[in-house]
Amino acid sequence: MNKKPDNPNFLRAQAEARLGRAPSTNAHAQSSETLLHELQVHQIELEMQNEHLRETQTALEESRDRYVGLYEFAPVGYITLSRAGQIAAINLTACTLLGRERGKLLQHRFDFLVSPSDRDRWHIFFVGALKQPVQQGIELALQRGDNAQFFAHLDCLNSKADGHAQEFQIALTDISAMRLNQQLLESEERLRVATETARDAIIMLEAESGAITTWNHAAETIFGYTRDEALGQVLHDFLVPQRFREQARSGMAHFAASGEGAAVNKTSELIARHKNGNEFPIELSLSAMQIDGKWFASGIARDITQRKQTEAALINALEQNQQHLAQMRDSLEDTVKAISSIVEVRDPYTSGHQVRVAALAAAIAKQMSLPEEQVHAIYLAGVVHDLGKIQIPAEILSKPGKLNAIEFRYIKTHAQAGFDILKDIKFPWPIAQMVLQHHERLDGSGYPQGLKDGDILPEARILAVADVVEAMSSHRPYRPGLGMEAALAEIGRGSGQQFDAAVVAACCKVVRDNGMKLPE
């Protein structure tokens, strides 16, 4: 319509046109007809007004539907809060974001939708925003109906009427994806910085082609190639020495097909080739990852040239030390045997006694599975266990008859005398204490200290048994040898009382089961 339908002249002209006839010229008829004509015109005018109202109502309904559609399905959530913070209105988008039905949100406090960690911050913001009719924003962690958390940005506007806040409008936008992207970007930046500042080379390559995709600053330093020179190059063609390249290609082909390999998820030591052609050792830790269906290898490489040089120097020094220790051990053993021979020169009747005791004691120690060093220490102690007899007059040592009480007390001093001679020698083992205790007994009946059980060294317990067995089985100036079985029977009677039961059992096994013969 070109003119407003509520214009009276316009409506009348339209009604006249619709009526389609002019008023009569007869006066009486004219009066009646005029009245009828006017009624008809007014009727038509009313119909036209009604038609226009219907059109207007239809347009309003269409406009309302468009508004409701725009409001309900807007790309952001719209929420209206009262001054008390209760939800007065909320669109479908907001309901969807919050994962709740509209009926369960209306008239409920908004702050219950805020994650507990952000609730105090929201209260402070809301109270402050009610005082200022300006647009303000805040980011909060909100909770969905399933208690899942998401991050949202709230654009808020407080509308006022007569100086009092009436409505608090919120435009709600889910920024979880944006925050995730931001976190990913920050993570990528941290990874980039860590990669570039790492002291080890960090290299990544695409397995199918072997092309390098990542090459950090440390890789430039270690291998000599710049990033531009390395990226896109096939790793095994310029970092692997020629003699290893075929093996590297085969391994890479297997890795490209399966994501598996002998070096994957392991740390290996390899030989690499520098840009200048020099070969050097590296330590490589290799891991696998699959991106878009393709396998990639990520490696951390470290130049271990200095470590290898240090290891070689240490091995060489260790070998030299071992040789030196062996020489010292041989020298020590020779010295101990020389000392032992001094006693045997003064006591020819017991010649070889110390060596035989040493051999039997060492065999018992081995049978008991003692460490090799401890076995050797027991052997050396056995070789010199009677060293103290050097202070006893030869006529007592070689007396053919039975010793009297005074002479026997003199003989018993040899353990202490041997200790006094050896105590200041810095043996790597308690040799002097072994010598001092080799006549002690578990029940305290031994000498020189009358020690009992746990106070006696394990090595001395072994020497005690070996000493008795050798002494009884061998000839003495005052009697012939009693034999090995008599000696074993003697220690058997004292097992657990005078002698250590485990030592006695080991001795019997060595002699009876293993058939050990004492040296001549």
Side-chain angles (χ1 to χ4, degrees), residues 22-196:
S24 174
T25 56
N26 182 283
H28 179 73
Q30 181 179 5
S31 175
S32 298
E33 289 180 1
T34 298
L35 179 60
L36 179 61
H37 176 79
E38 289 296 326
L39 290 173
Q40 290 176 334
V41 169
H42 286 306
Q43 180 182 0
I44 294 172
E45 286 179 345
L46 289 173
E47 290 175 354
M48 291 176 64
Q49 286 179 344
N50 287 336
E51 181 180 355
H52 175 69
L53 288 173
R54 285 194 297 272
E55 290 175 355
T56 301
Q57 182 177 2
T58 300
L60 286 173
E61 289 175 352
E62 291 176 352
S63 177
R64 181 200 64 194
D65 291 342
R66 285 195 298 273
Y67 169 78
V68 170
L70 289 173
Y71 173 77
E72 294 288 6
F73 302 105
V76 297
Y78 291 119
I79 302 174
T80 301
L81 301 183
S82 67
R83 281 181 57 85
Q86 292 177 317
I87 299 175
I90 184 169
N91 71 344
L92 286 177
T93 301
C95 293
T96 302
L97 288 175
L98 293 167
R100 302 169 191 265
E101 296 178 7
R102 195 196 312 262
K104 295 181 179 180
L105 290 170
L106 292 174
Q107 304 308 314
H108 286 76
R109 291 181 61 83
F110 178 79
D111 54 8
F112 289 115
L113 302 175
V114 180
S115 176
S117 60
D118 279 353
R119 203 163 285 167
D120 289 343
R121 196 160 58 88
W122 161 251
H123 286 159
I124 295 172
F125 172 83
F126 182 63
V127 171
L130 286 175
K131 300 175 182 178
Q132 300 179 16
V134 294
Q135 184 171 333
Q136 301 180 62
I138 187 174
E139 291 184 3
L140 297 172
L142 303 181
Q143 289 181 316
R144 292 191 172 94
D146 57 2
N147 290 325
Q149 181 176 280
F150 73 102
F151 293 96
H153 179 82
L154 283 64
D155 281 313
C156 305
L157 180 62
N158 171 33
S159 60
K160 288 188 176 183
D162 299 329
H164 298 285
Q166 298 297 314
E167 293 181 337
F168 192 80
Q169 306 291 342
I170 298 175
L172 180 69
T173 305
D174 185 350
I175 60 170
S176 298
M178 183 179 71
R179 282 178 65 102
L180 179 60
N181 289 335
Q182 183 179 355
Q183 291 171 356
L184 288 174
L185 290 174
E186 292 173 353
S187 177
E188 289 176 358
E189 178 61 16
R190 287 194 296 269
L191 178 60
R192 186 194 68 79
V193 172
T195 299
E196 285 304 310

Side-chain angles (χ1 to χ4, degrees), residues 140-385:
L140 297 172
L142 303 181
Q143 289 181 316
R144 292 191 172 94
D146 57 2
N147 290 325
Q149 181 176 280
F150 73 102
F151 293 96
H153 179 82
L154 283 64
D155 281 313
C156 305
L157 180 62
N158 171 33
S159 60
K160 288 188 176 183
D162 299 329
H164 298 285
Q166 298 297 314
E167 293 181 337
F168 192 80
Q169 306 291 342
I170 298 175
L172 180 69
T173 305
D174 185 350
I175 60 170
S176 298
M178 183 179 71
R179 282 178 65 102
L180 179 60
N181 289 335
Q182 183 179 355
Q183 291 171 356
L184 288 174
L185 290 174
E186 292 173 353
S187 177
E188 289 176 358
E189 178 61 16
R190 287 194 296 269
L191 178 60
R192 186 194 68 79
V193 172
T195 299
E196 285 304 310
T197 57
R199 298 179 63 182
D200 295 334
I202 298 177
I203 305 169
M204 184 178 291
L205 56 88
E206 194 272 313
E208 185 174 355
S209 64
I212 296 172
T213 59
T214 300
W215 186 265
N216 72 340
H217 179 69
E220 294 180 327
T221 303
I222 292 173
F223 296 101
Y225 293 94
T226 66
R227 192 193 313 271
D228 292 339
E229 291 173 326
L231 292 179
Q233 296 295 322
V234 177
L235 181 136
H236 46 257
D237 283 346
F238 78 121
L239 291 187
V240 178
Q242 183 67 41
R243 63 187 181 281
F244 300 128
R245 288 181 185 175
E246 188 57 38
Q247 181 182 357
R249 290 191 186 98
S250 175
M252 188 60 66
H254 175 70
F255 173 75
S258 64
E260 299 177 351
V264 176
N265 297 325
K266 295 180 181 177
T267 299
S268 309
E269 291 186 0
L270 304 170
I271 300 298
R273 182 177 177 274
H274 193 272
K275 182 179 180 181
N276 61 16
N278 292 336
E279 295 182 2
F280 63 101
I282 63 170
E283 183 180 80
L284 177 66
S285 297
L286 197 64
S287 59
M289 64 184 72
Q290 197 170 30
I291 304 175
D292 296 331
K294 291 185 177 182
W295 285 104
F296 285 75
S298 176
I300 299 176
R302 175 179 300 172
D303 184 349
I304 57 173
T305 301
Q306 186 174 1
R307 189 175 81 189
K308 284 297 183 182
Q309 292 172 347
T310 302
E311 287 177 358
L314 287 173
I315 291 173
N316 183 54
L318 182 61
E319 290 176 350
Q320 291 180 356
N321 286 339
Q322 291 292 346
Q323 293 175 0
H324 183 60
L325 286 173
Q327 293 172 355
M328 290 181 62
R329 179 170 174 169
D330 292 342
S331 177
L332 178 62
E333 190 166 335
D334 291 342
T335 301
V336 170
K337 288 180 178 179
I339 295 172
S340 174
S341 66
I342 296 174
V343 179
E344 295 184 350
V345 168
R346 298 188 70 249
D347 185 13
Y349 290 100
T350 57
S351 176
H353 166 69
Q354 294 187 111
V355 173
R356 289 192 292 273
V357 169
L360 179 57
I364 293 170
K366 286 182 180 179
Q367 180 64 39
M368 296 176 70
S369 301
L370 297 184
E372 183 179 349
E373 283 297 309
Q374 193 174 7
V375 172
H376 185 66
I378 292 170
Y379 175 80
L380 291 181
V383 170
V384 294
H385 76 279

